Amino acid sequence: MQEYRPVKEGKVREIYDTGENLIMVATDRISAFDVILKNKVSKKGTVLTQMSRFWFDYTKDVVKNHMISTDTADMPEFFRKPEFTGNSMLCRKLTMLPIECIVRGYITGSGWKSYKENGTVCGIKLPEGLKECDKIPEPIYTPSTKAEIGDHDENIDFDRSVEVLERDFPGHGLEYATKIRDYTIALYKKCADYALTKGIIIADTKFEFGLDENGEVVIGDEMLTPDSSRFWPVEGYEAGHDQPSFDKQFVRNYLKANPDCDYNLPQDVIDKTIDKYLEAYRLLTGKELEA
């Protein structure tokens, strides 16, 4: 049996190269503020993979995605083990574009902080009088650069995203920047409308895109998971204050309130975190995943 080792490790994911394709494994690691925490959250990787699978299937009419299968029977024998079951995705190889595609439908987090200071979010002027967690009249696209582990992403505007892409893909900067912006907004609108019918507000999220072997723009990485999105319950939603959430904002809030914890979570925070992830999965997909 051939042995495999990760060819790339991110904050949460490990990538294996099988030759023709890639296998993306979502680990149980959790990161916050661009730091990998010392704890693992059991089954978190399975939630991320299965939720991405759900959204890739749901949006394949909007844009192609890199998913081939999440069944380890479709993967080399090395991956047919319990530690790879549920949390692994066989994917097409892509040439990834160096832009984080962030879309915001509600004003919260760093966006709210910026708005309070000067009425803008990532340089985009918004109407006066918005309250914290208010819905933005139209979703806004606020791309950023992709940072290495330990570094911080840099917010950029659309024109800067064109320059970044033109540097790496001469002659295609404007084309690719326009496509990923338009796909980002279209995906958000379709999925946010669906989520509302399931009791969840998608406040914001981020996508990553790449080019396939034909040079076509394809969505890759993960999609609309509690790691890459802010999920709020529709029930009880009220602008003017922070919202309860089904995502890792719960962990961020704990770290902010306990700056001396050295990125080490107590067990009750870990347990509540996976419960929130599992609840989001259940609401959005109508299926259960065991903790």
Side-chain angles (χ1 to χ4, degrees):
M1 179 178 64
Q2 182 177 347
E3 298 285 326
Y4 290 87
R5 294 184 181 278
V7 294
K8 183 178 179 182
E9 293 192 49
K11 298 185 188 85
V12 173
R13 284 171 179 74
E14 296 174 348
I15 308 296
Y16 295 81
D17 191 334
T18 66
E20 184 179 354
N21 299 303
L22 296 177
I23 292 175
M24 189 170 68
V25 179
T27 73
D28 290 339
R29 296 192 296 265
I30 188 167
S31 70
F33 306 117
D34 294 313
V35 175
I36 300 171
L37 276 61
K38 296 178 179 179
N39 316 84
K40 290 187 177 181
V41 178
S42 180
K43 282 296 178 183
K44 173 178 167 285
T46 299
V47 175
L48 299 188
T49 297
Q50 297 304 318
M51 191 170 287
S52 292
R53 174 191 176 184
F54 170 80
W55 289 118
F56 283 144
D57 280 337
Y58 184 69
T59 59
K60 59 189 177 185
D61 62 324
V62 177
V63 59
K64 290 183 179 180
N65 61 70
H66 70 159
M67 181 178 69
I68 298 172
S69 175
T70 58
D71 187 345
T72 54
D74 297 326
M75 304 176 196
E77 185 181 353
F78 176 82
F79 297 95
R80 297 169 201 166
K81 304 173 186 174
E83 59 262 39
F84 294 111
T85 300
N87 64 345
S88 304
M89 183 179 290
L90 181 66
C91 306
R92 291 187 288 155
K93 288 184 175 180
L94 303 178
T95 300
M96 297 305 292
L97 301 177
I99 301 291
E100 298 268 7
C101 297
I102 300 165
V103 56
R104 305 169 191 259
Y106 293 73
I107 187 166
T108 185
S110 62
W112 171 241
K113 180 181 177 183
S114 173
Y115 177 78
K116 286 192 297 180
E117 292 172 354
N118 54 37
T120 69
V121 175
C122 297
I124 299 172
K125 184 72 174 175
L126 294 182
E128 295 181 2
L130 294 178
K131 296 182 287 187
E132 183 178 10
C133 298
D134 247 336
K135 185 176 183 179
I136 300 170
E138 276 294 318
I140 57 174
Y141 176 64
T142 60
S144 75
T145 59
K146 291 184 187 179
E148 297 298 321
I149 294 177
D151 295 330
H152 293 282
D153 297 336
E154 176 192 355
N155 292 327
I156 58 176
D157 60 17
F158 177 77
D159 289 342
R160 178 61 182 143
S161 76
V162 173
E163 293 174 1
V164 171
L165 290 164
E166 184 65 26
R167 177 196 65 203
D168 291 356
F169 304 94
H172 295 281
L174 179 59
E175 174 195 352
Y176 293 159
T178 302
K179 281 185 176 180
I180 62 177
R181 177 197 63 194
D182 293 349
Y183 281 144
T184 294
I185 296 294
L187 288 168
Y188 175 78
K189 286 183 174 180
K190 178 181 174 76
C191 297
D193 287 349
Y194 167 83
L196 281 174
T197 70
K198 302 299 181 181
I200 287 183
I201 293 168
I202 302 176
D204 54 39
T205 193
K206 69 179 178 72
F207 304 122
E208 294 193 30
F209 295 89
L211 305 176
D212 66 11
E213 66 276 9
N214 299 315
E216 189 170 356
V217 174
V218 172
I219 187 168
D221 197 60
E222 65 181 322
M223 185 174 183
L224 285 162
T225 72
D227 263 21
S228 64
S229 318
R230 281 189 174 93
F231 293 150
W232 299 337
V234 171
E235 185 177 359
Y237 165 74
E238 179 186 55
H241 55 80
D242 198 14
Q243 307 295 311
S245 69
F246 295 110
D247 53 65
K248 69 177 179 181
Q249 188 61 40
F250 178 71
V251 171
R252 294 190 193 101
N253 291 346
Y254 176 83
L255 294 173
K256 281 194 252 184
N258 298 272
D260 297 327
C261 72
D262 194 28
Y263 293 96
N264 197 18
L265 302 176
Q267 190 60 44
D268 69 309
V269 173
I270 295 171
D271 292 343
K272 287 178 183 176
T273 298
I274 192 57
D275 285 347
K276 287 175 178 288
Y277 278 45
L278 289 167
E279 178 68 359
Y281 180 85
R282 184 187 67 79
L283 287 172
L284 288 167
T285 69
K287 300 177 181 178
E288 297 281 356
L289 279 178
E290 294 183 4

Coordinates of all heavy atoms in Angstrom, one line a residue, residues 84-114:
F84 N -9.7 9.2 8.3 CA -10.0 9.9 7.1 C -11.5 9.9 6.7 O -11.9 10.5 5.8 CB -9.1 9.4 5.9 CG -7.7 9.6 6.1 CD1 -6.8 8.6 6.3 CD2 -7.1 10.9 6.0 CE1 -5.4 8.8 6.5 CE2 -5.8 11.1 6.2 CZ -4.9 10.0 6.4
T85 N -12.2 9.1 7.4 CA -13.7 8.9 7.1 C -14.5 10.2 7.5 O -14.5 10.6 8.6 CB -14.2 7.7 7.8 OG1 -13.5 6.5 7.4 CG2 -15.7 7.5 7.4
G86 N -15.2 10.7 6.5 CA -16.0 11.9 6.7 C -15.4 13.2 6.6 O -16.1 14.2 6.3
N87 N -14.1 13.3 6.8 CA -13.4 14.6 6.8 C -12.5 14.8 5.6 O -11.8 15.8 5.6 CB -12.6 14.8 8.1 CG -11.5 13.8 8.2 OD1 -11.4 12.8 7.5 ND2 -10.5 14.0 9.1
S88 N -12.6 13.9 4.6 CA -11.7 14.0 3.5 C -12.5 14.2 2.2 O -13.6 13.6 2.0 CB -10.9 12.7 3.4 OG -10.2 12.5 4.6
M89 N -11.9 15.0 1.3 CA -12.6 15.3 0.0 C -11.6 15.1 -1.1 O -10.5 15.7 -1.1 CB -13.1 16.7 0.0 CG -13.9 17.1 -1.3 SD -14.5 18.8 -1.2 CE -15.8 18.6 0.0
L90 N -11.9 14.3 -2.1 CA -11.2 14.1 -3.3 C -11.5 15.2 -4.2 O -12.7 15.5 -4.5 CB -11.5 12.7 -3.9 CG -10.7 12.4 -5.2 CD1 -9.3 12.1 -4.9 CD2 -11.4 11.1 -5.8
C91 N -10.5 15.9 -4.7 CA -10.7 17.2 -5.4 C -9.9 17.2 -6.7 O -8.8 16.6 -6.8 CB -10.3 18.4 -4.6 SG -11.0 18.5 -3.0
R92 N -10.4 18.0 -7.7 CA -9.6 18.3 -8.8 C -8.5 19.3 -8.5 O -8.7 20.1 -7.6 CB -10.5 18.9 -9.9 CG -11.5 17.9 -10.5 CD -12.2 18.5 -11.7 NE -13.1 19.6 -11.3 CZ -13.5 20.6 -12.0 NH1 -13.0 20.7 -13.2 NH2 -14.4 21.5 -11.6
K93 N -7.4 19.2 -9.1 CA -6.3 20.1 -8.9 C -6.6 21.5 -9.6 O -7.1 21.5 -10.7 CB -5.0 19.6 -9.5 CG -4.4 18.5 -8.7 CD -3.0 18.1 -9.3 CE -2.3 17.0 -8.5 NZ -1.0 16.6 -9.0
L94 N -6.4 22.5 -8.8 CA -6.6 23.9 -9.3 C -5.3 24.7 -9.1 O -4.5 24.4 -8.2 CB -7.7 24.6 -8.6 CG -9.1 23.9 -8.6 CD1 -10.0 24.7 -7.7 CD2 -9.6 23.7 -10.0
T95 N -5.2 25.7 -10.0 CA -4.2 26.8 -9.7 C -4.9 27.9 -8.9 O -5.7 28.6 -9.5 CB -3.6 27.3 -11.0 OG1 -3.0 26.3 -11.8 CG2 -2.6 28.4 -10.8
M96 N -4.6 27.9 -7.6 CA -5.4 28.8 -6.8 C -5.1 30.3 -7.1 O -3.9 30.7 -7.3 CB -5.2 28.5 -5.3 CG -5.7 27.1 -4.9 SD -7.4 26.7 -5.4 CE -8.3 27.8 -4.2
L97 N -6.1 31.1 -7.0 CA -6.0 32.6 -7.2 C -5.6 33.2 -5.8 O -6.3 32.8 -4.8 CB -7.2 33.2 -7.8 CG -7.7 32.6 -9.1 CD1 -9.0 33.3 -9.6 CD2 -6.6 32.9 -10.2
P98 N -4.7 34.1 -5.7 CA -4.2 34.6 -4.5 C -5.1 35.7 -3.8 O -4.6 36.7 -3.3 CB -2.9 35.2 -4.9 CG -3.1 35.7 -6.3 CD -4.0 34.7 -6.9
I99 N -6.4 35.5 -3.8 CA -7.4 36.4 -3.3 C -8.4 35.7 -2.4 O -8.9 34.6 -2.8 CB -8.1 37.2 -4.4 CG1 -7.2 37.9 -5.3 CG2 -9.2 38.1 -3.8 CD1 -6.5 39.1 -4.7
E100 N -8.6 36.2 -1.2 CA -9.7 35.7 -0.3 C -10.9 36.6 -0.7 O -10.9 37.8 -0.7 CB -9.4 36.0 1.2 CG -8.2 35.3 1.7 CD -8.6 33.9 2.3 OE1 -9.7 33.5 2.1 OE2 -7.7 33.3 2.8
C101 N -12.0 35.9 -1.2 CA -13.2 36.6 -1.7 C -14.2 36.7 -0.5 O -15.0 35.7 -0.3 CB -13.7 35.8 -2.9 SG -12.6 35.8 -4.3
I102 N -14.2 37.8 0.1 CA -15.1 38.0 1.3 C -16.3 38.8 0.9 O -16.2 39.8 0.1 CB -14.3 38.8 2.4 CG1 -13.1 38.0 2.8 CG2 -15.2 39.1 3.6 CD1 -12.1 38.8 3.6
V103 N -17.5 38.4 1.3 CA -18.7 39.1 1.0 C -19.4 39.3 2.4 O -19.5 38.4 3.2 CB -19.6 38.3 0.0 CG1 -19.9 36.9 0.5 CG2 -20.9 39.0 -0.2
R104 N -20.0 40.5 2.5 CA -20.6 40.9 3.8 C -22.1 41.3 3.5 O -22.3 42.2 2.7 CB -19.9 42.0 4.5 CG -18.4 41.8 4.7 CD -17.7 43.0 5.1 NE -16.2 42.9 5.1 CZ -15.5 42.7 6.2 NH1 -16.0 42.6 7.4 NH2 -14.2 42.6 6.1
G105 N -23.0 40.6 4.2 CA -24.4 41.0 4.0 C -24.9 41.8 5.2 O -26.0 42.4 5.1
Y106 N -24.2 41.7 6.3 CA -24.5 42.4 7.6 C -23.3 43.1 8.1 O -22.2 42.6 7.8 CB -25.1 41.4 8.6 CG -26.5 40.8 8.2 CD1 -26.5 39.9 7.1 CD2 -27.6 41.2 8.8 CE1 -27.7 39.3 6.7 CE2 -28.9 40.7 8.4 CZ -28.9 39.7 7.4 OH -30.1 39.2 7.0
I107 N -23.5 44.1 8.9 CA -22.3 44.9 9.4 C -22.0 44.4 10.8 O -22.8 44.6 11.7 CB -22.6 46.4 9.3 CG1 -21.3 47.2 9.6 CG2 -23.8 46.8 10.1 CD1 -21.4 48.6 9.2
T108 N -20.8 43.8 10.9 CA -20.4 43.3 12.2 C -18.9 43.1 12.2 O -18.2 43.4 11.2 CB -21.1 41.9 12.4 OG1 -20.7 41.4 13.8 CG2 -20.6 40.9 11.4
G109 N -18.3 42.8 13.4 CA -16.9 42.5 13.5 C -16.1 43.8 13.1 O -16.4 44.9 13.5
S110 N -15.0 43.5 12.3 CA -14.1 44.6 11.9 C -14.8 45.6 11.0 O -14.5 46.8 11.0 CB -12.9 44.0 11.2 OG -13.3 43.4 10.0
G111 N -15.8 45.1 10.3 CA -16.6 46.0 9.5 C -17.4 47.1 10.3 O -17.4 48.3 10.0
W112 N -18.0 46.6 11.4 CA -18.7 47.5 12.3 C -17.7 48.5 12.9 O -18.0 49.7 13.0 CB -19.4 46.7 13.4 CG -20.0 47.6 14.5 CD1 -19.7 47.5 15.8 CD2 -21.1 48.5 14.3 NE1 -20.5 48.4 16.5 CE2 -21.3 49.1 15.6 CE3 -21.8 49.1 13.2 CZ2 -22.3 50.1 15.8 CZ3 -22.7 50.1 13.5 CH2 -22.9 50.5 14.7
K113 N -16.6 48.1 13.3 CA -15.6 49.0 13.9 C -15.2 50.0 12.9 O -15.1 51.2 13.3 CB -14.3 48.1 14.3 CG -13.2 49.0 14.9 CD -12.0 48.1 15.3 CE -10.9 49.0 15.9 NZ -9.7 48.1 16.2
S114 N -14.9 49.7 11.7 CA -14.6 50.6 10.6 C -15.7 51.6 10.4 O -15.5 52.8 10.2 CB -14.2 49.9 9.4 OG -13.9 50.8 8.3

